[in-house]
Amino acid sequence: MKSNIDFYCIGAQKAATSWLYERLNELPCFSMPYIKELHFFDRSEKYPSPSKLSRPLVSRLLDYDILSTSMLEVFSSVYRKNFKKMRWMLNWHFSNINNDWYLSLFENLSLISGDMTPAYSILDVVDIKKMYKLSPDSKIIFILRNPIERAISHLKFYHQSRGVLIDKLSINEIKFFLDSDNQVLRSDYLRTLNNYSKVYNSSNILVGFYDAIVDHPNSFLKEVVSFLGGKKNQVSSLKSNRKINVSKKEVIDQKILNYVIEKYASDINKLSKIFGGYCSLWENRFDDNKQPQKTYSTITLDKINLTK
């Protein structure tokens, strides 16, 4: 079966990947899977990224919550008379998981298509090689966000999705989350980039910046679409400043904020030396005497030196 996976967006989590998925879905030169995050390569129990795909089909069918959600998505497609989506959903929810099944999710997506799973940022090299074996010509997109802001956003979103406000948690509970593998791995951008550059050609790895999405979303989107071989002139008609999956505003205790700043100050310094641009702006917030940096929205990995 020929792979029709043109790209992987591997994160970072809380760096506007849902926004990117929605915008690409609106473009006529893209045909994206009906589920944004497929979690095929991170389904191993060694990753702090639980996925229903790690469970065999019988186990999923016997799980009431999973089964009811699956049936709801299938019936919703039928109700809307979207039979193409219905067939896709049946395949997605009620099949045994293997390489051929994964490739079949893209089989009838004839335009530019990809898998947008931020958890792929935490993959080991051995699993990135599995990804490469299935789709060696795919391109990689990785969006960086100030790791301080990303960690706090992750903290808020994780607990708000479970109905818990941050001010109801103890400082030790918050620190436990901030120091967990699930959170720390997702902020280790250099580990991610080094792992992927060992497998994929550096010219096929695009690094983007969350700040650029905030500052000029259309320009950022045009660069991504052009990198993926799409028609960037189609971007102009989109309302690309719409936000997706925004956490509710909460005041973060200064002790926690200081803890996160101290945790990621060294990482930001390294990123600033390598990338400059927005990464230097992150660093400059600690030093008012530094000069403003010229920023850029995206850059391919072959244009920078990860060993600085």
Side-chain angles (χ1 to χ4, degrees):
M1 186 179 296
K2 182 181 181 298
S3 170
N4 189 38
I5 309 169
D6 298 293
F7 71 95
Y8 295 98
C9 181
I10 61 172
Q13 188 188 45
K14 304 308 296 175
T17 58
S18 293
W19 170 87
L20 182 59
Y21 172 80
E22 295 294 340
R23 299 295 78 77
L24 295 180
N25 242 341
E26 294 170 345
L27 293 172
C29 54
F30 284 80
S31 51
M32 300 295 293
Y34 294 104
I35 299 290
K36 176 203 166 202
E37 299 184 23
L38 302 182
H39 287 282
F40 181 69
F41 297 101
D42 65 309
R43 66 191 191 278
S44 168
E45 292 183 357
K46 68 181 177 181
Y47 295 118
S49 176
S51 167
K52 74 168 190 175
L53 299 190
S54 63
R55 300 170 60 176
L57 178 59
V58 173
S59 174
R60 285 180 276 135
L61 292 176
L62 294 175
D63 186 307
Y64 176 79
D65 290 334
I66 292 178
L67 182 60
S68 58
T69 299
S70 302
M71 295 304 297
L72 180 63
E73 290 184 339
V74 172
F75 288 143
S76 176
S77 303
V78 174
Y79 178 77
R80 290 175 171 78
K81 297 182 179 180
N82 188 340
F83 298 111
K84 181 179 178 181
K85 183 177 180 180
M86 178 201 73
R87 288 190 292 272
W88 194 95
M89 285 296 178
L90 285 170
N91 185 28
W92 166 253
H93 288 298
F94 303 109
S95 298
N96 290 307
I97 309 303
N98 54 44
N99 288 347
D100 286 340
W101 167 83
Y102 177 68
L103 293 176
S104 75
L105 298 175
F106 299 87
E107 189 175 15
N108 295 314
L109 303 178
S110 57
L111 304 174
I112 301 171
S113 191
D115 180 350
M116 303 186 67
T117 304
Y120 292 167
S121 65
I122 68 177
L123 294 180
D124 294 334
V125 172
V126 64
D127 289 305
I128 298 173
K129 286 181 178 179
K130 293 177 184 177
M131 178 188 292
Y132 181 85
K133 186 175 181 180
L134 283 187
S135 53
D137 298 322
S138 295
K139 295 183 176 181
I140 307 296
I141 299 171
F142 189 41
I143 306 172
L144 306 190
R145 182 177 183 179
N146 184 330
I148 296 170
E149 295 178 358
R150 199 217 68 79
I152 291 174
S153 180
H154 188 186
L155 170 72
K156 289 179 179 179
F157 186 80
Y158 177 85
H159 288 92
Q160 287 173 1
S161 65
R162 288 157 177 77
V164 179
L165 295 178
I166 303 303
D167 60 7
K168 301 299 182 183
L169 298 172
S170 69
I171 289 180
N172 286 336
E173 286 176 312
I174 293 175
K175 286 183 177 180
F176 180 80
F177 174 83
L178 292 171
D179 293 336
S180 67
D181 288 344
N182 186 39
Q183 197 288 125
V184 172
L185 280 172
R186 293 172 187 271
S187 293
D188 195 346
Y189 303 150
L190 292 180
R191 172 191 175 275
T192 298
L193 291 171
N194 274 304
N195 281 351
Y196 275 86
S197 65
K198 291 175 183 176
V199 181
Y200 280 88
N201 190 304
S202 294
S203 62
N204 280 345
I205 302 175
L206 185 75
V207 178
F209 297 90
Y210 174 88
D211 311 62
I213 298 173
V214 175
D215 291 344
H216 36 81
N218 264 31
S219 296
F220 176 91
L221 190 56
K222 285 179 180 179
E223 291 184 25
V224 170
V225 169
S226 180
F227 172 72
L228 296 177
K231 298 177 181 178
K232 62 181 181 180
N233 62 308
Q234 296 176 346
V235 172
S236 302
S237 62
L238 299 184
K239 295 179 180 179
S240 56
N241 58 348
R242 285 175 289 169
K243 296 180 180 179
I244 307 290
N245 289 345
V246 179
S247 300
K248 296 177 182 177
K249 290 186 177 181
E250 290 187 70
V251 177
I252 298 296
D253 185 278
Q254 189 61 45
K255 290 181 181 179
I256 294 300
L257 185 58
N258 291 340
Y259 182 78
V260 181
I261 289 173
E262 183 178 357
K263 186 178 185 69
Y264 289 108
S266 176
D267 288 353
I268 289 175
N269 178 262
K270 292 176 184 176
L271 291 166
S272 175
K273 289 179 180 178
I274 293 171
F275 289 99
Y278 280 112
C279 296
S280 291
L281 292 183
W282 305 342
E283 184 183 37
N284 289 357
R285 293 173 188 174
F286 304 126
D287 187 349
D288 294 333
N289 295 319
K290 289 204 172 184
Q291 296 298 312
Q293 293 285 319
K294 182 179 179 181
T295 59
Y296 51 91
S297 297
T298 64
I299 189 170
T300 50
L301 208 56
D302 59 322
K303 301 294 195 304
I304 59 101
N305 181 3
L306 286 176
T307 60
K308 281 186 180 180

